Amino acid sequence: LLINNTLTGNNISLVVEKQAVKKAVNLIHSQIFGVAKNINIAIFGKGTVGGSLIDQIVKSHAQIVKRKETNLNIFAIVDSKQVLLNKNGVNTQWRTDFENQASTQNDVNSIIDYAQLHHLENLIAIDNTASSEFTENYIPLIENGFDIVSSNKIANTNSYADYKLLRSKLKDYKKQYLYE
């Protein structure tokens, strides 16, 4: 809402909305102290494609942080029946954790609520479901700060009205939809 810088440049004051404090602090720390950029990922579908993607991200984590200064944090893994949520991200034991700790509340709204509750920023939803029904969730995800990535292009093959609505929401919320 307001930024004030002293003449010497030694002090900066910010006024932000209360719900944006955590996000603002994370952003400032990353810029001032060189902390890696955090990208928080929710992966929908943990089958062959989704499971391979999770394994690749987890195994390459240290190299990505070192090379790109980017922390890819998988905070949600969702299948058709369950969801594993961890604000600090999953590790190589994610399959075991999913079996032992997953919740049955796996609707998109619970993922959105979790991301908001934990002030997660730079959100990406990755759709590995190959489900035309799941594309109906893209709009609520976009409206709540998620960029969308899908391993298919199903959302582009829905009705023209749906296609136009998706493109309009992407533009309005300054989000991206990448596919294949």
Side-chain angles (χ1 to χ4, degrees), residues 5-176:
N5 189 0
T6 62
L7 290 176
T8 63
N10 293 331
N11 299 314
I12 297 175
S13 300
L14 299 173
V15 176
V16 298
E17 293 179 4
K18 186 174 184 176
Q19 67 267 21
V21 169
K22 175 88 169 144
K23 191 173 187 177
V25 169
N26 289 342
L27 181 61
I28 291 165
H29 283 179
S30 69
Q31 294 298 312
I32 293 173
F33 302 115
V35 175
K37 179 178 183 179
N38 288 315
I39 297 179
N40 292 288
I41 303 170
I43 296 185
F44 296 86
K46 64 173 191 63
T48 303
V49 173
S52 297
L53 176 62
I54 295 165
D55 288 336
Q56 288 174 354
I57 292 171
V58 169
K59 289 176 184 171
S60 303
H61 183 265
Q63 296 154 350
I64 294 169
V65 169
K66 182 178 179 185
R67 194 169 24 106
K68 298 288 187 182
E69 296 182 356
T70 301
N71 177 37
L72 298 180
N73 181 52
I74 301 172
F75 77 94
I77 300 174
V78 187
D79 72 6
S80 61
K81 296 182 177 122
Q82 296 179 297
V83 60
L84 175 65
L85 297 168
N86 184 337
K87 69 178 180 175
N88 298 317
V90 300
N91 58 34
T92 56
Q93 301 301 315
W94 69 268
R95 285 182 175 85
T96 304
D97 292 344
F98 194 90
E99 288 178 26
N100 298 327
Q101 301 170 15
S103 164
T104 56
Q105 190 174 6
N106 69 339
D107 62 293
V108 170
N109 288 328
S110 66
I111 308 305
I112 292 168
D113 292 345
Y114 186 86
Q116 290 174 349
L117 175 67
H118 295 285
H119 308 285
L120 301 178
E121 72 238 1
N122 303 318
L123 298 166
I124 299 176
I126 300 179
D127 174 12
N128 295 303
T129 66
S131 164
S132 59
E133 291 84 25
F134 186 78
T135 61
E136 295 170 8
N137 295 304
Y138 287 10
I139 300 297
L141 287 164
I142 291 165
E143 291 174 338
N144 286 280
F146 285 81
D147 289 288
I148 308 292
V149 174
S150 66
S151 55
N152 57 64
K153 55 185 173 191
I154 293 173
N156 289 330
T157 62
N158 290 337
S159 71
Y160 185 63
D162 288 344
Y163 176 85
K164 283 177 38 177
L165 177 62
L166 175 62
R167 297 297 169 193
S168 172
K169 292 292 183 177
L170 290 165
K171 184 178 178 183
D172 291 347
Y173 288 88
K174 297 177 177 65
K175 295 297 169 191
Q176 294 184 40

